[in-house]
Amino acid sequence: MTKEHRKRLLFGLFLSSGIGLLAYKRRSLSRGGVAGATITGTATVGAGGWPWGFALIFFFVSSTLLSHFRVQDKERTAADKFSKGSQRDLAQVAANGGVATGLALAHGLARSSTTKELLHAGYLGALATATADTWATELGVLSPHPPRLLTTGEITAPGTSGGITPLGTAAAASGALSLGLFSLLLSLKQKGAQYFPFLTLLSGFAGSMIDSVLGATVQAMYYCSTCQQETEQPIHRCGTHTRPLRGYSWCDNDVVNFLATLCGSLIAAGAYGLSVILARKER
């Protein structure tokens, strides 16, 4: 391990643990979430580098701010739909950042410059998907228009997994593009950086749509006979044991988020690889 790697690891540990503790005090992370965020941040900065770490911070800070935006309105509108609140736990951190962290570690071990570029593109795709999905969820639930299931177009209740609204869709695109523009500013001199906004918009938006499809088809949803409401909770907040409504019991929102970020990373890496091939043919 080089001196630069050790320096980045220490900085990543200091920065991620500090942000994690601050988020814990603000009830944005649970204790497990702090541990997950610290591991994710340390590994990402240490193996990926400074731009990777700051892109991760952009996702976390923007998502945290939006999760606390008009939180009372969200609770009144869709509290029964969410299995977890605004305080993210270890599973949620792993679901949203696990793929990105794995790609950062792979980048630290890679020797080929082309491989490193593809891994960076995949990293941005995973992070763009997580950003797009979070922005869409946190803002879409406040839409004045009722959501429709992406798979059937049927009107559904706010907060239902798989439901989309014009506001949520715009938020998804904005979140994905914002991450790309931010990453471009961090990596102006890096080869291929000019593609970052396009890559994140494409992969992040596509990944968030995949998330909605999975949410509407395979994610476990339950029904509380006492309150006569759909929920993601096997045991409703009223204490009633809910009955399965659709999806698979093993596929909760965390699994869906992990699969969506994985798809987003593959889309971004594939798009970047294609752009490199086309650029070589034009020479």
Side-chain angles (χ1 to χ4, degrees), residues 7 10 35 39 48 50 101 112 143 145 166 193 237 259 264-265 267 270 274 279 281:
K7 181 180 178 181
L10 289 174
I39 294 171
W50 310 113
T101 303
S112 166
S143 174
H145 304 288
R237 60 178 181 172
L259 293 175
S265 70
I267 291 171
L274 180 61
K281 287 184 177 181

Side-chain angles (χ1 to χ4, degrees), residues 28-29 55-69 74 82 84-88 91-97 125-143 159 163-165 167-179 200 203-212 253-254 256-258 260-261:
S28 297
L29 288 175
L56 180 63
I57 291 174
F58 175 87
F59 157 68
F60 177 74
V61 172
S62 65
S63 299
T64 299
L65 291 175
L66 288 179
S67 69
H68 290 283
F69 176 66
K74 296 175 187 176
F82 301 119
K84 301 173 183 178
S86 60
Q87 191 177 45
R88 291 174 170 81
Q92 286 174 295
V93 172
N96 285 286
L127 214 55
T129 298
T131 304
D133 179 57
T134 303
W135 284 36
T137 300
E138 298 296 345
L139 295 178
V141 74
L142 299 173
S143 174
I164 62 172
T165 63
L167 177 60
T169 302
S174 299
L177 180 59
S178 296
L179 178 73
T200 57
S203 60
F205 187 76
S208 69
M209 292 299 104
I210 291 172
D211 185 285
S212 294
N253 188 252
D254 292 332
V256 168
N257 286 341
F258 180 84
T261 56

Side-chain angles (χ1 to χ4, degrees), residues 152-216:
T152 64
E154 178 185 356
I155 292 179
T156 187
T160 301
S161 293
I164 62 172
T165 63
L167 177 60
T169 302
S174 299
L177 180 59
S178 296
L179 178 73
L181 293 172
F182 183 74
S183 298
L184 174 61
L185 293 176
L186 294 172
S187 311
L188 287 174
K189 296 182 180 180
Q190 180 176 322
K191 182 181 178 181
Q194 69 272 21
Y195 300 120
F196 286 175
F198 167 74
L199 286 176
T200 57
L201 178 59
L202 171 66
S203 60
F205 187 76
S208 69
M209 292 299 104
I210 291 172
D211 185 285
S212 294
V213 171
L214 293 174

Side-chain angles (χ1 to χ4, degrees), residues 17 30 41 49 62 83 85 110 122 138 153 173 203 205 218 245 249 264:
S17 59
S30 67
S62 65
S83 59
E138 298 296 345
S203 60
F205 187 76
V218 299
L245 188 63
S249 59

